[in-house]
Amino acid sequence: MKLINTTLLLATFIFTAIASNASAATDPWYVYASKVNGYRMCAQASPGSGWYKASPNGYSTKGACNYYER
């Protein structure tokens, strides 16, 4: 009985670890441009009302976003 409880506990722990890693995706990066001077920057969230989203799609990494930053 002790072996069954230990095995069940271990299986539950492994399943929980796998399930939590599967849903741990990051938010996409976007290029935002300033409405004042056109300066562009990468961010995952809008920097404020003085900015607009200059990229129609998001990028998975900041490095990929920085490539389109001009």
Side-chain angles (χ1 to χ4, degrees):
M1 186 69 172
K2 190 174 185 179
L3 181 61
I4 293 173
N5 287 341
T6 305
T7 305
L8 184 60
L9 182 65
L10 182 61
T12 303
F13 176 73
I14 290 172
F15 177 74
T16 304
I18 291 171
S20 66
N21 285 339
S23 64
T26 61
D27 290 339
W29 291 87
Y30 294 99
V31 176
Y32 288 92
S34 171
K35 292 180 182 178
V36 176
N37 60 6
Y39 177 78
R40 293 178 180 235
M41 64 177 278
C42 287
Q44 289 180 317
S46 176
S49 61
W51 297 81
Y52 67 93
K53 194 182 293 185
S55 61
N57 54 349
Y59 303 101
S60 59
T61 63
K62 184 166 175 26
C65 182
N66 284 336
Y67 177 77
Y68 294 97
E69 195 174 306
R70 295 186 182 106

